[in-house]
Amino acid sequence: MLMSMTGYGRAERHGTEGHCTVEVRSVNHRYCEIAVRLPRGLIPLETRIREQVRHRFARGRFDVTVSLDAPALLGQVVHYNRGLVTQYLRTLEALQTDFRLPGT
C-alpha cells in the first residue's frame, strides 16, 4: 500500500456514446479521506471507487471527480411492461387497503 503524495491526474475517454473525464487530486493527510463527485447516473459506482483508492493508498486526502457528456444516452427511449405495471399498482392498492395506509 502506498502513502499519498500531493498530485493530480486527469484521464479522458472519447467514444461513440459520449465523453468522460476523470480527475483525481491528492494531498498528504494523516488519514485516508476520499471525496467522490459523480453524475447522477454513476452514483452506484461511488463505493467501488472508494474501495479502489483505499486499496492502493494508506493515507491522503483524495478528490475524485467524474464528468460525463453522453448525448447519445440522453436520447434513449424507455420501454415498460404495461401488464406488469398494472399488477404492481393493483398490489399497492391492496396493501393500502389492507393496512389502512393514507394517501394516493
Side-chain angles (χ1 to χ4, degrees):
M1 197 175 295
L2 301 171
M3 302 297 255
S4 169
M5 299 299 289
T6 300
Y8 172 81
R10 177 183 173 111
E12 294 186 43
R13 171 80 187 230
H14 300 273
T16 57
E17 294 182 352
H19 176 86
C20 180
T21 303
V22 178
E23 292 181 312
V24 180
R25 298 167 198 240
S26 70
V27 293
N28 199 13
H29 194 275
R30 184 175 179 181
Y31 303 104
C32 187
E33 290 185 14
I34 305 161
V36 180
R37 291 176 199 83
L38 299 170
R40 180 173 271 158
L42 298 180
I43 289 175
L45 297 176
E46 182 174 352
T47 301
R48 187 170 175 194
I49 292 169
R50 289 178 185 278
E51 288 171 356
Q52 291 293 318
V53 174
R54 278 199 179 94
H55 179 73
R56 289 173 172 82
F57 297 96
R59 53 184 275 188
R61 163 79 183 158
F62 298 88
D63 293 306
V64 180
T65 304
V66 178
S67 60
L68 182 63
D69 180 18
L73 298 177
L74 297 176
Q76 291 185 349
V77 177
V78 175
H79 299 280
Y80 67 95
N81 181 323
R82 187 179 202 82
L84 184 60
V85 171
T86 301
Q87 288 178 325
Y88 281 135
L89 289 173
R90 287 183 183 149
T91 301
L92 290 171
E93 289 169 352
L95 286 169
Q96 186 178 23
T97 300
D98 292 349
F99 292 97
R100 298 185 193 124
L101 299 172
T104 56

